[in-house]
Every structure is written in C-alpha cells, then in structure tokens.
C-alpha cells in the first residue's frame, strides 16, 4: 500500500534566489520529510513580479546613502500572489515573516509557535533591505537570527525552516521525544561520549558505564546546569525563574492578624509602581 497523508506544515519563500531552496535542507531529515509530504515548500521568485523591461527589483534610497532598497510595488505583488496561492490551496493564512536584524531574535519558543501554525510565509531581502511601507501594509513580522549581518535573508530562512521542520510529527523519529532534549528544558546540552571508553588517554566518566540509569540522569542534569550557568547566565536565570519552587514543609496556618500583609512600593520607571 502507498502511504499518503495531509502535510502538517507549509512554507512559501519569497526570494531573488529560489535555487537556494531547499538547498542544505535536502541533505537532512528535513529533506526526507519534504519527499514524504510532511511539509511543503513553495518558492516564489521576486523578480518574476517585475513589470518593466529591465526587471528591476531595487531602487536608490530616498534621502541618499549607500546601497539600494527593494521596491514596494514588486514586493507587494509577490506577497499578494503568495497569499492568493495559499488560499487557493485551502491553507489557512499564517504569519508573514521578514528576516531582519531588527526583529525579535529567534528562539526555541518562537520555533515551537511557528511549527504549531499551518502556514508560514518568509520574505528574504537583499541589498539594504525593503521599503518600510511594505512592512506596514502587510503587517510583516520581523524575525532575526541573531546580532550579526548577513548579505541576504536566505541563510536565515533556511535556519528557521530547519528548526521548525525537525519539530513536525514524525520527522525526528524516536529521538528527543517528550522534551528530553536539554534545550526544551531551557538548558544547554550535557557532554556526550561514545566508544572507545578510553581515547587518547581520555576516559569516559565512570558513571556513564555503570548502568545506573537514575545516577546517569542526575549526573547529566548536573552537568547541563553547570555548563549553562557558566556559559549562558541569561539562560540560567530564566531556568531558575521557571523552575518549580522547592517544596517546603507544611506549616500550620497562622491565625488571621488584624494587619493586612505588608507590601513595598517599587517605582516602575514610568511614574507608577509595582508591588514587591
Ligand atoms: N539580514 N537575521 C540584511 C540579516 C538577518 C539576520 C537579512 C541582512 C536582511 C536585507 N536576517 N538583509 N541577522 O542580517 O535575519
């Protein structure tokens, strides 16, 4: 029997370089999942929406300055076509993301959100970027891969798609189910080892060869915590804040006192205050 099922996720990519997709994704589990129909990819060549003889997609910036800006009329036609094709395919409209260093920095929480939505549209910019009015007109959501500058949005789009696709049902198989993975708990990975038990005079930590699953689990958690605390204080404080409060021995309820519980006013910097 031949297998067939509805795709779990669709992405439309708007780019001047459609040949860059699926690119490296074709060499991974994402590529297998694409062949299986777990997700679908539509590439739209932004240049195909030009109407002038020279097929120009960019123009000089008003106000002067270096570089070129992608034209609003061409981008608008591309985005409208993306939406129309999605609607014709019976896909529910989803967010439209413009990859840009100005955006919300991509993290696993945003990747999870996007994976849970049916449809995504990605706009990849080149040159100095796109005309600001396109962002307003189509309510583009800006997303950044990090605080560095790429020459185009395409590598960022590939990273985002990779991170999303590996979360789709059936893509990873049995690996990392039930949030076993460290990052799903807000921690960096613990150290991994494979054979041989001694390599170049370096031994694998004893505990990992012991067969004590409970002790192995505790050791790995301790390692993940130490590494996170040492390398990423930002992740460490989020982890501490989201960790369930340690259980405290139950004390007998105090008798209700005449005075209400005291709170201290802390200025919030906006002329107001929060209770602390
Ligand atoms: N660019 N995260 C400028 C990025 C970028 C990033 C993409 C460079 C858009 C016009 N994209 N173009 N960082 O640096 O996503």
């Amino acid at each position: 029997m031949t297998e067939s099922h509805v795709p779990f996720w669709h992405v439309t990519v708007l780019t001047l370089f459609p040949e860059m997709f699926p690119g490296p994704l074709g060499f991974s589990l994402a590529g297998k999942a694409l062949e299986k129909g777990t997700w679908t990819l539509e590439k739209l060549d932004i240049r195909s929406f030009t109407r002038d003889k020279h097929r120009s997609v960019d123009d000089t910036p008003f106000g002067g300055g270096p570089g070129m800006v992608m034209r609003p009329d061409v981008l608008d036609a591309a985005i409208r076509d993306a939406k129309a094709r999605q609607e014709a395919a019976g896909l529910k409209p989803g967010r439209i993301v413009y990859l840009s260093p100005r955006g919300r920095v991509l993290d696993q929480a945003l990747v999870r959100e996007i994976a849970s939505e049916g449809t995504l549209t990605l706009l990849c910019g080149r040159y100095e970027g796109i005309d600001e009015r396109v962002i307003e007109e189509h309510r583009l959501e800006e997303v950044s891969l990090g605080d560095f500058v790429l020459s185009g949005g395409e590598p960022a789009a590939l990273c985002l798609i990779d991170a999303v696709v590996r979360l789709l049902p059936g893509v990873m198989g049995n690996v990392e189910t039930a949030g076993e993975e460290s990052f799903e708990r807000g921690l960096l990975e613990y150290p991994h080892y494979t054979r041989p038990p001694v390599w170049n005079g370096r031994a694998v930590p004893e505990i990992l060869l012991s067969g004590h699953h409970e002790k192995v689990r505790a050791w790995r958690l301790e390692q993940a915590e130490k590494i996170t605390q040492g390398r990423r204080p930002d992740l460490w404080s989020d982890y501490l804040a989201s960790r369930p409060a340690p259980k405290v021995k139950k004390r007998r309820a105090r008798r209700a006192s005449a005075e209400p519980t005291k709170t201290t006013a802390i200025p919030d910097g906006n002329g107001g205050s929060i209770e602390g």
Side-chain angles (χ1 to χ4, degrees), residues 32-61:
K32 291 273 148 337
L34 183 58
E35 285 171 16
K36 279 198 304 177
T38 305
W39 62 291
T40 51
L41 167 69
E42 178 157 57
K43 308 178 280 181
L44 296 181
D45 183 351
I46 292 172
R47 198 173 298 279
S48 74
F49 297 93
T50 56
R51 309 191 55 186
D52 65 310
K53 188 171 77 178
H54 296 104
R55 309 190 80 200
S56 65
V57 293
D58 58 342
D59 205 340
T60 54

Side-chain angles (χ1 to χ4, degrees), residues 207 211-219:
I207 187 74
H212 288 103
H213 301 301
E214 210 41 62
K215 285 185 181 174
V216 168
R217 197 195 286 280
W219 182 86

Side-chain angles (χ1 to χ4, degrees), residues 98-101 125-129 143-146 148-150 152-153 156:
Y98 170 52
L99 285 314
S100 149
R126 286 268 156 173
Y127 318 109
E128 300 312 303
V143 172
S144 171
L145 203 62
F148 45 83
V149 184
L150 298 170

Side-chain angles (χ1 to χ4, degrees), residues 82-259:
K83 286 177 174 171
R85 287 168 177 276
Q86 289 166 4
E87 193 181 340
L91 298 164
K92 69 168 188 205
R95 65 177 96 197
I96 310 176
V97 166
Y98 170 52
L99 285 314
S100 149
R102 298 198 313 192
R104 167 176 169 189
V105 176
L106 186 66
D107 61 10
Q108 195 62 17
L110 182 51
V111 170
R112 266 186 245 121
E113 260 180 63
I114 292 174
S116 75
E117 299 164 357
T119 313
L120 175 69
T121 303
L122 294 177
L123 173 57
C124 303
R126 286 268 156 173
Y127 318 109
E128 300 312 303
I130 70 178
D131 189 300
E132 187 74 17
R133 293 167 293 182
V134 176
I135 298 175
E136 298 163 5
E137 177 74 16
H138 290 282
R139 312 244 168 141
L140 302 188
E141 202 175 310
E142 291 178 74
V143 172
S144 171
L145 203 62
D147 297 336
F148 45 83
V149 184
L150 298 170
S151 50
E154 288 82 3
L158 288 165
C159 291
L160 171 47
I161 295 169
D162 182 276
V164 167
V165 167
R166 62 183 287 286
L167 296 186
L168 301 178
V171 174
M172 294 287 288
N174 281 328
V175 227
E176 291 163 7
T177 42
E180 261 290 309
E181 192 191 0
S182 281
F183 228 113
E184 290 294 328
R185 290 176 296 165
L187 290 171
L188 299 177
E189 280 284 299
Y190 52 75
H192 301 287
Y193 301 89
T194 185
R195 287 182 289 186
V198 180
W199 174 78
N200 267 9
R202 299 170 187 274
V204 169
E206 276 291 333
I207 187 74
L208 299 178
L209 312 173
S210 70
H212 288 103
H213 301 301
E214 210 41 62
K215 285 185 181 174
V216 168
R217 197 195 286 280
W219 182 86
R220 284 176 169 168
L221 177 60
E222 178 189 285
Q223 292 293 311
E225 288 182 341
K226 279 192 177 138
I227 289 170
T228 306
Q229 184 172 23
R231 300 185 189 186
R232 293 290 303 276
D234 56 329
L235 295 180
W236 180 243
S237 37
D238 289 352
Y239 173 72
L240 290 181
S242 67
R243 217 160 48 161
K247 280 184 193 133
V248 175
K249 262 195 202 157
K250 268 196 187 151
R251 268 154 103 233
R252 267 174 209 266
R254 265 179 299 182
R255 226 181 318 139
S257 74
E259 287 200 42

